[in-house]
Amino acid sequence: MPAATDIMTPLWRGVVVLRVITAAFAIVAIIVYHDGFVRPGLGWAVLAGIAVWTVVICLAYSDDVTRRTSVVVIDLLVTLALMGSSALVLSPEQLTEVTQRTPLLTTVWASGPVVAAAVQGGRVAGALFGLAVSVVDIWLRGLFTIDLARDTLLLVGTGFVLGLAATAARRATEQLRRSARAEAATAERERLARSIHDSVVQVLARVRARGGQLDGEAGELARLAGEQEIALRCLFSAKAPDTTGEQDLAGALRLLAGPRVEVSVPATAVPLPAADVEELVAVAREALANTARHGGPGAKSWILVEDLGTEVALTIRDDGPGVDNGQLADAESAGRMGVSRSIRGRVADLGGTLTLGTGPGRGTEWEVRLARIQQDLLR
Amino acid sequence: MIRVMVVDDHPIWRAGVARDLVEQDFEVVATAADGAAALRIVPAVTPDVVLMDLHFASGGPSGAETTRRIIDTWPDIRVLVLSASGEHADVLAAVQAGASGYLMKSASVEELVTAVRRTAEGDAVFTAGLAGLLLGEYRRMALDPRTDSPRLTDRETEVLRQVATGCTARQIAEALGISHRTVENHVQATLRKLQLHNRVELTRYAIEHGLIDQ
């Protein structure tokens, strides 16, 4: 994810800079308070440890391959260990008399893992790491004063707020990247659509319109040209699912248009979850296939999509001979109405309702209604 | 003889439609390659019917905008939109701007001829597609909290739904037990209401933004 890395790089650079500055602060503090230490030798060793770990961890955080959660956790453990060594190095007075302002050996340098965790894992990780460092501080001192409470608040608060910022930045970048991608795809499709519309489609339309009046093979060729014309026009007017996982039912159904199928849709998109759109298109296809099999040679079909806000209605009607209800029941019990059962099954799985209207000479009309459940919950 | 003007930016299509119409005893008084050209030519040739494409490669006013300007200036001229598929929003805009209806470019010559005749007589050409668009627009407006947008009566909704699923006026009249003429009236009313609303909205917008005096 190059784009997401790009936005996080400045934040990580900030983490590294803060680490180096706080390391310098910690080193100076060790030198200043060195005289009061009970184990001065170990004090120097901790100083060296802080310096070495700062170099190691800054290198790790500078490369997006090694910026991993495990590395941040190791950073916390090493930092806490160095912090914990204060118990052996500082004198009991230095340790307990916070009012004398003797810091632990690691002092503000211990905030490093907290900011790193916030940038890597977000607000919860940031706050938890802040809490971990504070708890160890309090435990080492063996007391809880207003100063330590303030440090705790600052550390936890910093981790939380920085984590929020990092997550927001990451989401914004992700969104930007998605919309840029969608925009590029749309622009490309429109470019193709324009050029095809201005050339191939016009000629096909002309061949179809002119040849449609001719008999025999010429008429057949014209009919084929017409099918391709409609297919091309529809192909470019259909839209891919958007980033929210929703798809335009109207656009998807328009692909079914043809010389014998007319599709009536609203001017605006009819968004539904992509899976529902797929099922509804499958229902429409089965109804059309049924008309093609039983509707006679000249039968036409119409598909109507209506967006009623809380629900979506899909109607598929043909002008075939239709069947009377008794016949339909007979056919269904005899297992010949496979299509009816299959459509019923699909609609039931979707949680929609199906109405079948038919009768001798009235054609057949399927009406599917599907409630927009998720939408309502979100509103 | 019905005087027709063809506005389309594709030369093969334009010439073909013009020839089809001439063969069917229409007088093609002019052709134009885009909206700007159409607006220049219309006053000189005063057609009865303008066949209007919606998009022009050369830019300038769109088919919908050209339709609006033609109807504003010459209310007697009828505009019939010939659209490619997938231009539904633009078709709706053109119809709201005053076009009498629309045909898909995939319509047959017979359908085109019938549509041009009916348009010249002043009737709206109601295809299933147009009914679907109008139905969609009314549904959209019904979900809009603003209350002054027009609504369909239950009967009008029923009629439009049947037109949108391919029923003929005769079939609808039979199914609903009303006369053929009443069905036609319902259908025309749905279009008139929408066009009127659009006109009122445009005027209100113009007043609110100081484009015209009150």
PDB file of all heavy atoms in Angstrom, chain A residues 345-375:
ATOM      1  N   GLY A 345     -37.439 -19.344  -4.940  1.00  0.00           N
ATOM      2  CA  GLY A 345     -36.350 -19.648  -4.013  1.00  0.00           C
ATOM      3  C   GLY A 345     -35.404 -18.470  -3.856  1.00  0.00           C
ATOM      4  O   GLY A 345     -35.042 -18.083  -2.751  1.00  0.00           O
ATOM      5  N   ARG A 346     -35.036 -17.901  -4.995  1.00  0.00           N
ATOM      6  CA  ARG A 346     -34.092 -16.770  -4.938  1.00  0.00           C
ATOM      7  C   ARG A 346     -34.677 -15.597  -4.164  1.00  0.00           C
ATOM      8  O   ARG A 346     -34.004 -14.976  -3.343  1.00  0.00           O
ATOM      9  CB  ARG A 346     -33.762 -16.290  -6.364  1.00  0.00           C
ATOM     10  CG  ARG A 346     -32.788 -17.185  -7.103  1.00  0.00           C
ATOM     11  CD  ARG A 346     -32.493 -16.585  -8.465  1.00  0.00           C
ATOM     12  NE  ARG A 346     -31.844 -17.516  -9.352  1.00  0.00           N
ATOM     13  CZ  ARG A 346     -30.515 -17.711  -9.383  1.00  0.00           C
ATOM     14  NH1 ARG A 346     -29.755 -17.035  -8.555  1.00  0.00           N
ATOM     15  NH2 ARG A 346     -29.994 -18.572 -10.226  1.00  0.00           N
ATOM     16  N   VAL A 347     -35.960 -15.287  -4.458  1.00  0.00           N
ATOM     17  CA  VAL A 347     -36.590 -14.142  -3.792  1.00  0.00           C
ATOM     18  C   VAL A 347     -36.718 -14.405  -2.292  1.00  0.00           C
ATOM     19  O   VAL A 347     -36.465 -13.528  -1.467  1.00  0.00           O
ATOM     20  CB  VAL A 347     -37.958 -13.828  -4.432  1.00  0.00           C
ATOM     21  CG1 VAL A 347     -38.674 -12.743  -3.639  1.00  0.00           C
ATOM     22  CG2 VAL A 347     -37.775 -13.384  -5.870  1.00  0.00           C
ATOM     23  N   ALA A 348     -37.072 -15.663  -1.942  1.00  0.00           N
ATOM     24  CA  ALA A 348     -37.196 -16.002  -0.524  1.00  0.00           C
ATOM     25  C   ALA A 348     -35.843 -15.852   0.174  1.00  0.00           C
ATOM     26  O   ALA A 348     -35.756 -15.314   1.279  1.00  0.00           O
ATOM     27  CB  ALA A 348     -37.723 -17.426  -0.372  1.00  0.00           C
ATOM     28  N   ASP A 349     -34.769 -16.308  -0.489  1.00  0.00           N
ATOM     29  CA  ASP A 349     -33.434 -16.190   0.105  1.00  0.00           C
ATOM     30  C   ASP A 349     -33.055 -14.732   0.344  1.00  0.00           C
ATOM     31  O   ASP A 349     -32.353 -14.398   1.296  1.00  0.00           O
ATOM     32  CB  ASP A 349     -32.389 -16.846  -0.797  1.00  0.00           C
ATOM     33  CG  ASP A 349     -32.496 -18.367  -0.764  1.00  0.00           C
ATOM     34  OD1 ASP A 349     -33.223 -18.859   0.127  1.00  0.00           O
ATOM     35  OD2 ASP A 349     -31.887 -19.031  -1.613  1.00  0.00           O
ATOM     36  N   LEU A 350     -33.528 -13.874  -0.557  1.00  0.00           N
ATOM     37  CA  LEU A 350     -33.214 -12.444  -0.424  1.00  0.00           C
ATOM     38  C   LEU A 350     -34.042 -11.794   0.681  1.00  0.00           C
ATOM     39  O   LEU A 350     -33.749 -10.682   1.109  1.00  0.00           O
ATOM     40  CB  LEU A 350     -33.525 -11.717  -1.733  1.00  0.00           C
ATOM     41  CG  LEU A 350     -32.477 -11.751  -2.840  1.00  0.00           C
ATOM     42  CD1 LEU A 350     -33.042 -11.128  -4.106  1.00  0.00           C
ATOM     43  CD2 LEU A 350     -31.228 -11.008  -2.412  1.00  0.00           C
ATOM     44  N   GLY A 351     -35.124 -12.479   1.079  1.00  0.00           N
ATOM     45  CA  GLY A 351     -36.028 -11.881   2.055  1.00  0.00           C
ATOM     46  C   GLY A 351     -37.020 -10.935   1.409  1.00  0.00           C
ATOM     47  O   GLY A 351     -37.575 -10.058   2.064  1.00  0.00           O
ATOM     48  N   GLY A 352     -37.263 -11.111   0.124  1.00  0.00           N
ATOM     49  CA  GLY A 352     -38.215 -10.260  -0.578  1.00  0.00           C
ATOM     50  C   GLY A 352     -39.550 -10.953  -0.746  1.00  0.00           C
ATOM     51  O   GLY A 352     -39.741 -12.093  -0.305  1.00  0.00           O
ATOM     52  N   THR A 353     -40.499 -10.249  -1.361  1.00  0.00           N
ATOM     53  CA  THR A 353     -41.786 -10.861  -1.644  1.00  0.00           C
ATOM     54  C   THR A 353     -41.969 -10.952  -3.149  1.00  0.00           C
ATOM     55  O   THR A 353     -41.480 -10.107  -3.900  1.00  0.00           O
ATOM     56  CB  THR A 353     -42.946 -10.036  -1.061  1.00  0.00           C
ATOM     57  OG1 THR A 353     -42.880  -8.718  -1.636  1.00  0.00           O
ATOM     58  CG2 THR A 353     -42.842  -9.918   0.439  1.00  0.00           C
ATOM     59  N   LEU A 354     -42.670 -11.998  -3.580  1.00  0.00           N
ATOM     60  CA  LEU A 354     -42.872 -12.214  -5.009  1.00  0.00           C
ATOM     61  C   LEU A 354     -44.359 -12.326  -5.295  1.00  0.00           C
ATOM     62  O   LEU A 354     -45.083 -13.038  -4.603  1.00  0.00           O
ATOM     63  CB  LEU A 354     -42.166 -13.508  -5.430  1.00  0.00           C
ATOM     64  CG  LEU A 354     -42.361 -13.925  -6.889  1.00  0.00           C
ATOM     65  CD1 LEU A 354     -41.538 -13.037  -7.808  1.00  0.00           C
ATOM     66  CD2 LEU A 354     -41.968 -15.376  -7.090  1.00  0.00           C
ATOM     67  N   THR A 355     -44.806 -11.575  -6.301  1.00  0.00           N
ATOM     68  CA  THR A 355     -46.185 -11.701  -6.735  1.00  0.00           C
ATOM     69  C   THR A 355     -46.156 -12.123  -8.199  1.00  0.00           C
ATOM     70  O   THR A 355     -45.428 -11.536  -8.997  1.00  0.00           O
ATOM     71  CB  THR A 355     -46.915 -10.339  -6.634  1.00  0.00           C
ATOM     72  OG1 THR A 355     -46.482  -9.685  -5.452  1.00  0.00           O
ATOM     73  CG2 THR A 355     -48.409 -10.525  -6.616  1.00  0.00           C
ATOM     74  N   LEU A 356     -46.916 -13.133  -8.514  1.00  0.00           N
ATOM     75  CA  LEU A 356     -46.971 -13.594  -9.898  1.00  0.00           C
ATOM     76  C   LEU A 356     -48.372 -13.326 -10.432  1.00  0.00           C
ATOM     77  O   LEU A 356     -49.354 -13.823  -9.891  1.00  0.00           O
ATOM     78  CB  LEU A 356     -46.641 -15.089  -9.959  1.00  0.00           C
ATOM     79  CG  LEU A 356     -46.816 -15.776 -11.305  1.00  0.00           C
ATOM     80  CD1 LEU A 356     -45.916 -15.143 -12.358  1.00  0.00           C
ATOM     81  CD2 LEU A 356     -46.487 -17.257 -11.192  1.00  0.00           C
ATOM     82  N   GLY A 357     -48.446 -12.499 -11.459  1.00  0.00           N
ATOM     83  CA  GLY A 357     -49.742 -12.218 -12.074  1.00  0.00           C
ATOM     84  C   GLY A 357     -49.763 -12.808 -13.469  1.00  0.00           C
ATOM     85  O   GLY A 357     -48.867 -12.558 -14.271  1.00  0.00           O
ATOM     86  N   THR A 358     -50.747 -13.636 -13.731  1.00  0.00           N
ATOM     87  CA  THR A 358     -50.824 -14.213 -15.073  1.00  0.00           C
ATOM     88  C   THR A 358     -52.255 -14.661 -15.339  1.00  0.00           C
ATOM     89  O   THR A 358     -53.084 -14.696 -14.427  1.00  0.00           O
ATOM     90  CB  THR A 358     -49.851 -15.403 -15.240  1.00  0.00           C
ATOM     91  OG1 THR A 358     -49.948 -15.892 -16.579  1.00  0.00           O
ATOM     92  CG2 THR A 358     -50.196 -16.535 -14.263  1.00  0.00           C
ATOM     93  N   GLY A 359     -52.541 -14.954 -16.547  1.00  0.00           N
ATOM     94  CA  GLY A 359     -53.873 -15.418 -16.920  1.00  0.00           C
ATOM     95  C   GLY A 359     -53.882 -15.580 -18.418  1.00  0.00           C
ATOM     96  O   GLY A 359     -53.013 -15.020 -19.106  1.00  0.00           O
ATOM     97  N   PRO A 360     -54.823 -16.337 -18.938  1.00  0.00           N
ATOM     98  CA  PRO A 360     -54.838 -16.569 -20.384  1.00  0.00           C
ATOM     99  C   PRO A 360     -54.927 -15.239 -21.134  1.00  0.00           C
ATOM    100  O   PRO A 360     -55.792 -14.422 -20.829  1.00  0.00           O
ATOM    101  CB  PRO A 360     -56.111 -17.398 -20.600  1.00  0.00           C
ATOM    102  CG  PRO A 360     -56.545 -17.853 -19.249  1.00  0.00           C
ATOM    103  CD  PRO A 360     -55.950 -16.941 -18.247  1.00  0.00           C
ATOM    104  N   GLY A 361     -53.999 -14.992 -22.048  1.00  0.00           N
ATOM    105  CA  GLY A 361     -54.029 -13.792 -22.871  1.00  0.00           C
ATOM    106  C   GLY A 361     -53.542 -12.541 -22.164  1.00  0.00           C
ATOM    107  O   GLY A 361     -53.517 -11.461 -22.743  1.00  0.00           O
ATOM    108  N   ARG A 362     -53.133 -12.674 -20.898  1.00  0.00           N
ATOM    109  CA  ARG A 362     -52.701 -11.479 -20.163  1.00  0.00           C
ATOM    110  C   ARG A 362     -51.185 -11.394 -20.010  1.00  0.00           C
ATOM    111  O   ARG A 362     -50.679 -10.462 -19.390  1.00  0.00           O
ATOM    112  CB  ARG A 362     -53.332 -11.460 -18.762  1.00  0.00           C
ATOM    113  CG  ARG A 362     -54.817 -11.142 -18.753  1.00  0.00           C
ATOM    114  CD  ARG A 362     -55.233 -10.501 -17.435  1.00  0.00           C
ATOM    115  NE  ARG A 362     -55.161 -11.419 -16.305  1.00  0.00           N
ATOM    116  CZ  ARG A 362     -54.380 -11.227 -15.249  1.00  0.00           C
ATOM    117  NH1 ARG A 362     -53.584 -10.186 -15.190  1.00  0.00           N
ATOM    118  NH2 ARG A 362     -54.386 -12.084 -14.259  1.00  0.00           N
ATOM    119  N   GLY A 363     -50.479 -12.354 -20.560  1.00  0.00           N
ATOM    120  CA  GLY A 363     -49.040 -12.363 -20.350  1.00  0.00           C
ATOM    121  C   GLY A 363     -48.717 -12.810 -18.933  1.00  0.00           C
ATOM    122  O   GLY A 363     -49.582 -13.256 -18.191  1.00  0.00           O
ATOM    123  N   THR A 364     -47.455 -12.692 -18.575  1.00  0.00           N
ATOM    124  CA  THR A 364     -47.026 -13.097 -17.238  1.00  0.00           C
ATOM    125  C   THR A 364     -46.294 -11.936 -16.602  1.00  0.00           C
ATOM    126  O   THR A 364     -45.474 -11.291 -17.258  1.00  0.00           O
ATOM    127  CB  THR A 364     -46.080 -14.308 -17.329  1.00  0.00           C
ATOM    128  OG1 THR A 364     -46.729 -15.321 -18.101  1.00  0.00           O
ATOM    129  CG2 THR A 364     -45.739 -14.859 -15.967  1.00  0.00           C
ATOM    130  N   GLU A 365     -46.598 -11.663 -15.339  1.00  0.00           N
ATOM    131  CA  GLU A 365     -45.918 -10.548 -14.672  1.00  0.00           C
ATOM    132  C   GLU A 365     -45.397 -10.989 -13.315  1.00  0.00           C
ATOM    133  O   GLU A 365     -46.146 -11.446 -12.461  1.00  0.00           O
ATOM    134  CB  GLU A 365     -46.893  -9.373 -14.507  1.00  0.00           C
ATOM    135  CG  GLU A 365     -46.269  -8.188 -13.788  1.00  0.00           C
ATOM    136  CD  GLU A 365     -47.204  -6.991 -13.712  1.00  0.00           C
ATOM    137  OE1 GLU A 365     -47.837  -6.672 -14.733  1.00  0.00           O
ATOM    138  OE2 GLU A 365     -47.295  -6.388 -12.632  1.00  0.00           O
ATOM    139  N   TRP A 366     -44.085 -10.855 -13.138  1.00  0.00           N
ATOM    140  CA  TRP A 366     -43.454 -11.143 -11.850  1.00  0.00           C
ATOM    141  C   TRP A 366     -43.174  -9.810 -11.173  1.00  0.00           C
ATOM    142  O   TRP A 366     -42.603  -8.927 -11.786  1.00  0.00           O
ATOM    143  CB  TRP A 366     -42.118 -11.855 -12.031  1.00  0.00           C
ATOM    144  CG  TRP A 366     -42.143 -13.069 -12.903  1.00  0.00           C
ATOM    145  CD1 TRP A 366     -42.027 -13.109 -14.253  1.00  0.00           C
ATOM    146  CD2 TRP A 366     -42.255 -14.416 -12.477  1.00  0.00           C
ATOM    147  NE1 TRP A 366     -42.061 -14.398 -14.708  1.00  0.00           N
ATOM    148  CE2 TRP A 366     -42.202 -15.238 -13.630  1.00  0.00           C
ATOM    149  CE3 TRP A 366     -42.395 -15.034 -11.221  1.00  0.00           C
ATOM    150  CZ2 TRP A 366     -42.281 -16.620 -13.583  1.00  0.00           C
ATOM    151  CZ3 TRP A 366     -42.467 -16.419 -11.169  1.00  0.00           C
ATOM    152  CH2 TRP A 366     -42.420 -17.196 -12.339  1.00  0.00           C
ATOM    153  N   GLU A 367     -43.561  -9.708  -9.928  1.00  0.00           N
ATOM    154  CA  GLU A 367     -43.184  -8.495  -9.207  1.00  0.00           C
ATOM    155  C   GLU A 367     -42.447  -8.861  -7.927  1.00  0.00           C
ATOM    156  O   GLU A 367     -42.973  -9.567  -7.073  1.00  0.00           O
ATOM    157  CB  GLU A 367     -44.412  -7.638  -8.871  1.00  0.00           C
ATOM    158  CG  GLU A 367     -43.981  -6.301  -8.260  1.00  0.00           C
ATOM    159  CD  GLU A 367     -45.150  -5.422  -7.837  1.00  0.00           C
ATOM    160  OE1 GLU A 367     -46.151  -5.374  -8.570  1.00  0.00           O
ATOM    161  OE2 GLU A 367     -45.033  -4.788  -6.772  1.00  0.00           O
ATOM    162  N   VAL A 368     -41.202  -8.375  -7.830  1.00  0.00           N
ATOM    163  CA  VAL A 368     -40.380  -8.652  -6.654  1.00  0.00           C
ATOM    164  C   VAL A 368     -40.254  -7.366  -5.854  1.00  0.00           C
ATOM    165  O   VAL A 368     -39.968  -6.317  -6.413  1.00  0.00           O
ATOM    166  CB  VAL A 368     -38.960  -9.109  -7.073  1.00  0.00           C
ATOM    167  CG1 VAL A 368     -38.137  -9.443  -5.833  1.00  0.00           C
ATOM    168  CG2 VAL A 368     -39.033 -10.291  -8.015  1.00  0.00           C
ATOM    169  N   ARG A 369     -40.492  -7.447  -4.559  1.00  0.00           N
ATOM    170  CA  ARG A 369     -40.259  -6.286  -3.694  1.00  0.00           C
ATOM    171  C   ARG A 369     -39.245  -6.660  -2.636  1.00  0.00           C
ATOM    172  O   ARG A 369     -39.361  -7.703  -1.999  1.00  0.00           O
ATOM    173  CB  ARG A 369     -41.560  -5.819  -3.036  1.00  0.00           C
ATOM    174  CG  ARG A 369     -42.402  -5.018  -4.009  1.00  0.00           C
ATOM    175  CD  ARG A 369     -43.695  -4.567  -3.415  1.00  0.00           C
ATOM    176  NE  ARG A 369     -44.442  -3.845  -4.434  1.00  0.00           N
ATOM    177  CZ  ARG A 369     -44.564  -2.511  -4.454  1.00  0.00           C
ATOM    178  NH1 ARG A 369     -44.008  -1.791  -3.504  1.00  0.00           N
ATOM    179  NH2 ARG A 369     -45.251  -1.935  -5.410  1.00  0.00           N
ATOM    180  N   LEU A 370     -38.248  -5.795  -2.502  1.00  0.00           N
ATOM    181  CA  LEU A 370     -37.166  -6.078  -1.561  1.00  0.00           C
ATOM    182  C   LEU A 370     -36.981  -4.871  -0.652  1.00  0.00           C
ATOM    183  O   LEU A 370     -36.754  -3.766  -1.121  1.00  0.00           O
ATOM    184  CB  LEU A 370     -35.879  -6.357  -2.345  1.00  0.00           C
ATOM    185  CG  LEU A 370     -34.666  -6.755  -1.522  1.00  0.00           C
ATOM    186  CD1 LEU A 370     -34.913  -8.040  -0.772  1.00  0.00           C
ATOM    187  CD2 LEU A 370     -33.457  -6.912  -2.428  1.00  0.00           C
ATOM    188  N   ALA A 371     -37.116  -5.107   0.676  1.00  0.00           N
ATOM    189  CA  ALA A 371     -36.960  -3.996   1.636  1.00  0.00           C
ATOM    190  C   ALA A 371     -35.489  -3.669   1.791  1.00  0.00           C
ATOM    191  O   ALA A 371     -34.637  -4.547   1.725  1.00  0.00           O
ATOM    192  CB  ALA A 371     -37.573  -4.372   2.972  1.00  0.00           C
ATOM    193  N   ARG A 372     -35.219  -2.390   1.983  1.00  0.00           N
ATOM    194  CA  ARG A 372     -33.839  -1.960   2.227  1.00  0.00           C
ATOM    195  C   ARG A 372     -33.571  -2.004   3.722  1.00  0.00           C
ATOM    196  O   ARG A 372     -33.682  -0.996   4.398  1.00  0.00           O
ATOM    197  CB  ARG A 372     -33.662  -0.530   1.747  1.00  0.00           C
ATOM    198  CG  ARG A 372     -33.329  -0.390   0.290  1.00  0.00           C
ATOM    199  CD  ARG A 372     -32.536   0.866   0.115  1.00  0.00           C
ATOM    200  NE  ARG A 372     -32.097   1.007  -1.253  1.00  0.00           N
ATOM    201  CZ  ARG A 372     -32.696   1.799  -2.119  1.00  0.00           C
ATOM    202  NH1 ARG A 372     -33.721   2.501  -1.771  1.00  0.00           N
ATOM    203  NH2 ARG A 372     -32.239   1.883  -3.353  1.00  0.00           N
ATOM    204  N   ILE A 373     -33.178  -3.175   4.252  1.00  0.00           N
ATOM    205  CA  ILE A 373     -33.044  -3.307   5.698  1.00  0.00           C
ATOM    206  C   ILE A 373     -31.830  -2.563   6.217  1.00  0.00           C
ATOM    207  O   ILE A 373     -31.929  -1.718   7.089  1.00  0.00           O
ATOM    208  CB  ILE A 373     -32.951  -4.799   6.100  1.00  0.00           C
ATOM    209  CG1 ILE A 373     -34.209  -5.499   5.634  1.00  0.00           C
ATOM    210  CG2 ILE A 373     -32.785  -4.924   7.602  1.00  0.00           C
ATOM    211  CD1 ILE A 373     -34.103  -7.000   5.629  1.00  0.00           C
ATOM    212  N   GLN A 374     -30.688  -2.851   5.614  1.00  0.00           N
ATOM    213  CA  GLN A 374     -29.445  -2.247   6.129  1.00  0.00           C
ATOM    214  C   GLN A 374     -29.510  -0.735   6.078  1.00  0.00           C
ATOM    215  O   GLN A 374     -29.091  -0.061   6.988  1.00  0.00           O
ATOM    216  CB  GLN A 374     -28.244  -2.728   5.304  1.00  0.00           C
ATOM    217  CG  GLN A 374     -27.938  -4.182   5.521  1.00  0.00           C
ATOM    218  CD  GLN A 374     -28.548  -5.040   4.446  1.00  0.00           C
ATOM    219  OE1 GLN A 374     -29.599  -4.708   3.894  1.00  0.00           O
ATOM    220  NE2 GLN A 374     -27.914  -6.138   4.127  1.00  0.00           N
ATOM    221  N   GLN A 375     -30.062  -0.225   4.981  1.00  0.00           N
ATOM    222  CA  GLN A 375     -30.145   1.218   4.810  1.00  0.00           C
ATOM    223  C   GLN A 375     -30.884   1.856   5.981  1.00  0.00           C
ATOM    224  O   GLN A 375     -30.474   2.858   6.519  1.00  0.00           O
ATOM    225  CB  GLN A 375     -30.902   1.549   3.518  1.00  0.00           C
ATOM    226  CG  GLN A 375     -30.159   1.173   2.276  1.00  0.00           C
ATOM    227  CD  GLN A 375     -28.998   2.092   2.019  1.00  0.00           C
ATOM    228  OE1 GLN A 375     -27.923   1.889   2.574  1.00  0.00           O
ATOM    229  NE2 GLN A 375     -29.185   3.106   1.212  1.00  0.00           N
TER     230      GLN A 375
END
